[in-house]
Amino acid sequence: MTENSNLLFIIISFALFIITLLALQCYYFFRVKPQKDGSIFTVTKESIGEQSDKIKSVLSQMHMKSSEMTNALLLLEEIVVRLQENADQIVTAYVHNIFGKVSLSLIARGQKYNPLEEKENSESESEDFFRNLIFKANSVKLFYKRRGSKNIVTVRVH
């Protein structure tokens, strides 16, 4: 009996060790982190053109389609402008490539503010009206979450 219980203890210990390793790998792969060095960008309204070019360069190195890159950069610009105008938050952008799924995470510290929410009372010719239309048209690619003191918007590129 003691040999069987020792063997059972070893098997259970080994299984727990494997599960722990798998959990650590999942945490490593799915946490918010940049794709590689040089893919962290600080974006403001003033620097959006320059940073967009750098992000486009990173996305083209990942062999993204031109239409995917253009759409992601349009969303980046509209989200950054809304965050800057309404919450005065500087945005840090990260490019991710997790198992071939490329996304762009936009992180802004500060008060809770979801830039994807529809702005009420926006006139039919205002910039906010057009931003709302853009966000609605791309709603399946846009995700907002609040983590700690960070507002995080994820744009699925590919």
Side-chain angles (χ1 to χ4, degrees), residues 90-109:
I90 295 177
V91 179
T92 303
Y94 297 90
V95 178
H96 306 277
N97 184 352
I98 300 173
F99 302 119
K101 296 183 188 252
V102 178
S103 62
L104 183 62
S105 289
L106 308 171
I107 300 173
R109 290 186 179 273

Side-chain angles (χ1 to χ4, degrees), residues 42-53 80 84 91:
T42 301
V43 186
T44 61
K45 282 173 42 176
E46 295 78 26
S47 70
I48 199 157
E50 176 187 340
Q51 298 299 355
S52 290
D53 290 340
V80 167
Q84 295 261 294
V91 179

Side-chain angles (χ1 to χ4, degrees), residues 102-144:
V102 178
S103 62
L104 183 62
S105 289
L106 308 171
I107 300 173
R109 290 186 179 273
Q111 296 293 325
K112 181 177 182 176
Y113 178 74
N114 183 352
L116 304 178
E117 286 182 351
E118 188 170 335
K119 297 278 256 176
E120 297 296 325
N121 303 328
S122 53
E123 298 174 18
S124 63
E125 297 297 318
S126 71
E127 289 182 14
D128 277 329
F129 176 77
F130 290 111
R131 278 191 195 104
N132 290 337
L133 289 178
I134 291 169
F135 293 156
K136 279 182 187 177
N138 292 284
S139 62
V140 296
K141 296 179 182 182
L142 296 170
F143 308 96
Y144 171 82

Side-chain angles (χ1 to χ4, degrees), residues 4-19:
N4 286 340
S5 19
N6 285 342
L7 182 61
L8 183 61
F9 176 76
I10 290 171
I11 291 172
I12 291 173
S13 297
F14 184 71
L16 287 173
F17 177 74
I18 296 296
I19 290 170

Side-chain angles (χ1 to χ4, degrees), residues 56-68:
K56 185 175 183 177
S57 172
V58 170
L59 292 174
S60 66
Q61 289 174 1
M62 295 178 184
H63 307 291
M64 295 292 104
K65 295 179 189 173
S66 177
S67 60
E68 292 173 329

